[in-house]
Amino acid sequence: VQLQASGGGLVQAGGSLRLSCAASGITIRTYNMGWFRQAPGKEREFVGGIRWSGNTYGTDSVKGRFTISRDNAKNTVDLQMNSQRPEDTAVYYCAAGDKRHILSTLLGPGGYDYWGQGTLVTVSS
């Protein structure tokens, strides 16, 4: 199983970026897919995800700014980030978890079985 995150880069505050996670070895529509981020010196933080059923789930810190979508034909999951803030600066990771994991476990790293290598997002003020 491989998860390849891409699309990171430098963006000004208020700007937008779209990250993409391409999966191989699994069919993402049968997995729960999550996005996490880790800023320097901080723990990995859950950002949001999309369940195998297509329902999305996220955190208040990005609500209304970040959107998660899935393309079953391409086997990819995207994270659209709008109205970005300097505090969004981090390495962003995508992850895949077994569909049987319950929602509460999906809010932390323990709910995921496979991880991508991460892509760096830097938001300048």
Side-chain angles (χ1 to χ4, degrees):
V1 176
Q2 285 192 329
L3 301 175
Q4 182 75 36
S6 61
L10 176 64
V11 63
Q12 288 188 333
S16 298
L17 272 180
R18 189 176 184 91
L19 306 183
S20 186
C21 176
S24 59
I26 60 170
T27 302
I28 62 166
R29 59 179 173 81
T30 66
Y31 279 77
N32 299 315
M33 301 296 296
W35 284 95
F36 287 75
R37 65 186 181 187
Q38 188 166 18
K42 295 188 177 182
E43 292 187 353
R44 193 166 295 191
E45 174 190 25
F46 171 72
V47 175
I50 183 166
R51 302 202 72 178
W52 65 273
S53 60
N55 293 330
T56 58
Y57 51 100
T59 60
D60 289 341
S61 63
V62 302
K63 190 174 181 180
R65 299 192 298 124
F66 292 8
T67 304
I68 294 174
S69 60
R70 184 176 72 192
D71 188 324
N72 292 336
K74 295 181 179 179
N75 212 35
T76 58
V77 176
D78 288 357
L79 177 65
Q80 176 67 42
M81 303 184 292
N82 299 326
S83 303
Q84 290 200 264
R85 305 166 181 170
E87 54 264 39
D88 294 327
T89 294
V91 177
Y92 283 72
Y93 300 89
C94 63
D98 190 284
K99 63 186 290 186
R100 294 167 292 182
H101 292 326
I102 61 175
L103 181 58
S104 60
T105 67
L106 301 178
L107 306 182
Y112 299 87
D113 306 294
Y114 306 105
W115 291 84
Q117 86 291 355
T119 185
L120 176 62
V121 173
T122 303
V123 184
S124 63
S125 58

